[in-house]
Structures are given as C-alpha cells and as structure tokens.
Amino acid sequence: MASRVASRLATRVNGMMPRPPVSPAANMMRQTRHFSATACTLKKDVIREAEVPVSVYQPDGKRSSSGAAADHFKINVVQNTPADAPEPSDMVQALTKSQYERLPKTIRDMTVYDKVVIVTGGARGLGNFMARALAEAGAKAIVLFDANQELGDASAAELNQKSGLPVSFFKVDVRDDAAIQAAVDAVVQTYGAPDVLVNSAGIADSNIPAEVYDAAMFRRLIDINLTGSFLMSKAVGNAMMKANKMGSIILVASMSGSIVNYPQEQSCYNASKAGVIQLGKSLAAEWAKYSIRVNMISPGYMDTALNRVPALDAQKIQWRDRTPQARLGGVDELNGLCVYLASDSSTFVTGSNMIIDGGYTLW
Ligand SMILES: NC(=O)c1ccc[n+]([C@@H]2O[C@H](COP(=O)([O-])OP(=O)(O)OC[C@H]3O[C@@H](n4cnc5c(N)ncnc54)[C@H](O)[C@@H]3O)[C@@H](O)[C@H]2O)c1
C-alpha cells in the first residue's frame, strides 16, 4: 500500500500522469491529506524482523565447513525499544548565593534567584516537581496551594527539609476566590509580593461521551481548571501590580487544548484547557502594560497519578503508539521550561503556549 502511494506520488511528481485542473487551495488540501495518509501508513508498515536469515556461498563453489553448498544461519536483530522516561531525582539542591554570584550572566538570568514563588496543585505530580525545580533554581521562598491538606502539608515539609528553603502550604481550593485572596495576602505579608505563579491545579474526567456528560460534572471541571486559573491569576496578578513586580504567570494547560485526544472522549477537559490557553493569551495582552508575563505549558501524556488508573491501561498503549518518542513524559519533564518561563531569560516571551508532548501533536 505504502509503495503504491509512493509510486503514485512519484509518477505525479515526474509529470507523467495528467492531473485534472484544480484550484490552488484545493490542491494544497489534497497534498496535505496525501502526505499525512502516507506518513501514517508508512509507520504501520515498518518491518521489524527479530532475525535476519543469512546464506554464505564460498568462492569458486567451495563447500562450506559442514560440507554443504552454503552456510545458512540467522543473526539476531537488536530491537531499539524506546526508553521510558528517566527516573526523576529525589534530591533538591537549593542554589546558594555564592553559587549564584559565580554564574555567567546568561546562566544567572536562567535562575529565579531571590524570587517568591506560588505553585498551585503543588502537593503532588507536575506541580510538585516544578516547585522542586524552582527551589533548585534559586527561589527565595516556595508556597504551595492545594486542596489536599494531608498531601500538601507533607509535600511542603519534605521540600523544606530537602531544600532548606522557607516553604509554606496553604489549603486552598482554586474555586474559592475569598480563600485565594486571603492566602495571597498572607504570602505578601510573609515573603513579599509573589514574582512567579505556576498554576498546576487541575482535574481530568475522561471516557465520558458528550451525549451523557452530566452537567454538574461539566461545570465542576470547568470551575477548577478554567475559573481556578482565572481566580489565581487575578489575585496574584493584582499583588504583582501593587508591588510593581515584573511577574511571570505560568498556566499549566494541556495539548488537549489544541487537539482532540484519542480514543478517550473527554470534551469537557479539552474545552477547559482550550479555555486556559485563550485565557492566558488574553491576560498576557492585557497585563503586558504592567510588565506581567503570562505563558502556558501544554503537556502531552505524562506519567503521573492523574493517569495511573487501571481504567486507562489499555488506552495508554495507544497513547504511546501515537507519540513519536513512544513513551509518556516523566513527572519532572516540565521543569526546564517552567524555570525558563519563570526566569528573566524569557523577558520577551508572553502569551506563548508551549507544548511538551514527546511529539504527540506532530502525527
Ligand atoms: N498528567 C498528564 O498527563 C497531564 C497532561 C496535560 C496536562 N496536565 C495538567 O497538569 C496539571 C497537573 O496534573 P498532574 O498530572 O500533576 O495531576 P495530579 O492529580 O497529580 O496533581 C494535581 C494537583 O492539583 C490539586 N487540585 C485538584 N483540584 C484542586 C482544586 N480545586 N484546588 C486546589 N488544588 C487542586 C490536587 O490535589 C493535586 O495535588 C493539571 O492541570 C493537568 O490538567 C496533566
């Protein structure tokens, strides 16, 4: 099939097959369809033999060592199985003042030295690992907001113990604007106005067809993922404005805000993350005049508790198969981009939605 498509394309390229006249736009669409269909087909048709049969005939018709006309044997093929995500480090080494001062300017700009950082959803998963990374990148203080009291408290204690930095935990639900305001006010009093907000709190519902999606569930997810991103940005943005801070707000969206996942049906999650991306772009445009930057990180499939549910095991095989890197992302694989966006090395980056997905959205 692949070779038939390829030879048909080659024939056309060589101009041997007459083409009906088509408009340039229709022509472009047709070529695009051809290209993606061919890429998918080629991927399925890739041949992967475990062994290669070999026949060796000696010169001048000499018999082989066994007396036969030829030696027949097989050689094994080493299969390049894609590696899983690297294990995240369990250590947190806070950047010291003397280390910071010895860094060349370019690297110094890539730190968050002396900045006050708030991370929502910081009790576990991607948010927790971004908080650890910001601690290593020089943060003055780390504040975790999360709805999970037990986990949030334990994570704050662990981060404080590992990094030696001041770390606070506030049990805040990102739907609760009054609680958010009180918590942000307390952060300002304790550590000074925040320089960085990472909004990672979020939930996912999947495998719910739209025609049976319960309206209350739909509203709840939008309230946490989208309204929560707005309420957090508003409270922290105001604190940054009041203190004249050149702040950086990072909203964790998802590739689901730009594509529709397959095979699981999850219209509400996808809509919520598309909303987060467009919210972030709008805030970036409105708040550039206050020197506040707003950017989005859009992860693909990541290996976190959110996805470690038995009901998703079968689908995960398909997710991997549709990801060029053939794996899920590691829980710490947003860290580098998060630190970059929080730091002064990205001062001209605002309103950007950056996808980290092992190439998923390429196919
Ligand atoms: N894991 C993935 O594959 C993936 C892919 C794309 C995007 N994301 C997004 O990344 C973010 C983090 O995901 P994760 O995999 O680390 O999830 P996670 O479930 O491990 O962590 C999410 C954290 O958010 C907290 N949280 C949930 N609802 C909250 C609320 N109402 N108020 C305050 N805190 C609340 C939870 O307690 C938890 O600690 C989410 O926004 C998620 O949508 C995840």
Side-chain angles (χ1 to χ4, degrees):
M1 171 65 182
S3 60
R4 251 189 292 140
V5 175
S7 79
R8 215 183 309 144
L9 280 175
T11 316
R12 288 207 169 144
V13 169
N14 291 335
M16 288 165 70
M17 188 186 282
R19 296 180 104 161
V22 283
S23 72
N27 195 22
M28 203 172 180
M29 273 182 67
R30 175 189 292 190
Q31 280 175 5
T32 309
R33 271 202 303 268
H34 258 310
F35 182 73
S36 48
T38 309
C40 287
T41 316
L42 286 176
K43 186 178 171 253
K44 277 196 218 118
D45 283 358
V46 168
I47 293 164
R48 295 199 189 282
E49 300 289 3
E51 294 177 325
V52 175
V54 183
S55 305
V56 179
Y57 295 88
Q58 300 295 343
D60 308 327
K62 270 196 205 147
R63 311 299 290 175
S64 71
S65 50
S66 65
D71 274 333
H72 298 285
F73 55 93
K74 289 181 175 167
I75 54 172
N76 292 329
V77 177
V78 180
Q79 297 291 346
N80 261 342
T81 40
D84 281 337
E87 276 297 309
S89 163
D90 201 35
M91 283 169 55
V92 184
Q93 282 179 281
L95 184 69
T96 64
K97 187 167 189 275
S98 68
Q99 286 169 336
Y100 171 76
E101 283 167 350
R102 276 185 276 123
L103 295 174
K105 182 177 180 322
T106 307
I107 309 296
R108 222 182 307 147
D109 283 350
M110 286 187 190
T111 73
V112 292
Y113 189 74
D114 215 25
K115 293 187 195 284
V116 176
V117 172
I118 298 177
V119 181
T120 76
R124 72 173 196 185
L126 302 170
N128 185 257
F129 274 83
M130 287 187 278
R132 290 163 180 241
L134 292 161
E136 290 205 330
K140 176 168 99 178
I142 303 274
V143 182
L144 307 180
F145 283 15
D146 203 289
N148 187 324
Q149 168 80 53
E150 210 177 315
L151 210 54
D153 220 349
S155 297
E158 185 188 358
L159 185 52
N160 163 261
Q161 182 260 319
K162 286 187 167 161
S163 68
L165 291 173
V167 181
S168 296
F169 165 66
F170 290 78
K171 183 189 176 293
V172 169
D173 190 306
V174 294
R175 292 170 288 183
D176 184 345
D177 51 350
I180 290 171
Q181 193 56 56
V184 171
D185 288 346
V187 171
V188 174
Q189 272 185 5
T190 313
Y191 301 116
D195 300 89
V196 177
L197 165 66
V198 180
N199 192 72
S200 188
I203 59 164
D205 289 335
S206 60
N207 290 299
I208 309 178
E211 63 272 23
V212 295
Y213 214 120
D214 177 69
M217 271 183 83
F218 195 100
R219 288 199 178 97
R220 175 173 179 267
L221 190 146
I222 295 289
D223 216 13
I224 294 173
N225 288 7
L226 179 54
T227 316
S229 300
F230 164 68
L231 295 174
M232 280 304 312
S233 302
K234 183 181 167 196
V236 174
N238 271 315
M240 289 170 170
M241 285 171 210
K242 227 184 260 175
N244 268 327
K245 283 250 166 153
M246 287 177 54
S248 172
I249 295 177
I250 298 161
L251 304 179
V252 179
S254 169
M255 68 173 179
S256 310
S258 309
I259 53 104
V260 173
N261 301 64
Y262 182 84
Q264 71 277 21
E265 290 166 326
Q266 47 177 49
S267 56
C268 183
Y269 183 80
N270 298 348
S272 76
K273 294 300 185 175
V276 171
I277 294 168
Q278 194 60 358
L279 168 72
K281 289 183 179 188
S282 307
L283 298 180
E286 285 189 36
W287 293 351
K289 58 180 172 289
Y290 304 119
S291 300
I292 296 171
R293 299 181 295 113
V294 186
N295 291 288
M296 284 62 68
I297 298 181
S298 279
Y301 292 113
M302 310 299 284
D303 188 15
T304 69
L306 200 74
N307 290 327
R308 278 195 213 134
V309 281
L312 294 176
D313 281 351
Q315 292 179 351
K316 261 190 230 172
I317 295 169
Q318 299 193 46
W319 300 349
R320 282 202 185 91
D321 195 43
R322 288 167 170 265
T323 304
Q325 287 193 353
R327 66 172 175 87
L328 272 63
V331 68
D332 61 348
E333 288 193 298
L334 306 185
N335 290 4
L337 179 58
C338 174
V339 170
Y340 166 71
L341 290 174
S343 78
D344 290 348
S345 54
S346 58
T347 42
F348 201 47
V349 182
T350 197
S352 287
N353 173 38
M354 303 192 189
I355 295 178
I356 299 191
D357 67 351
Y360 184 94
T361 49
L362 298 175
W363 281 342

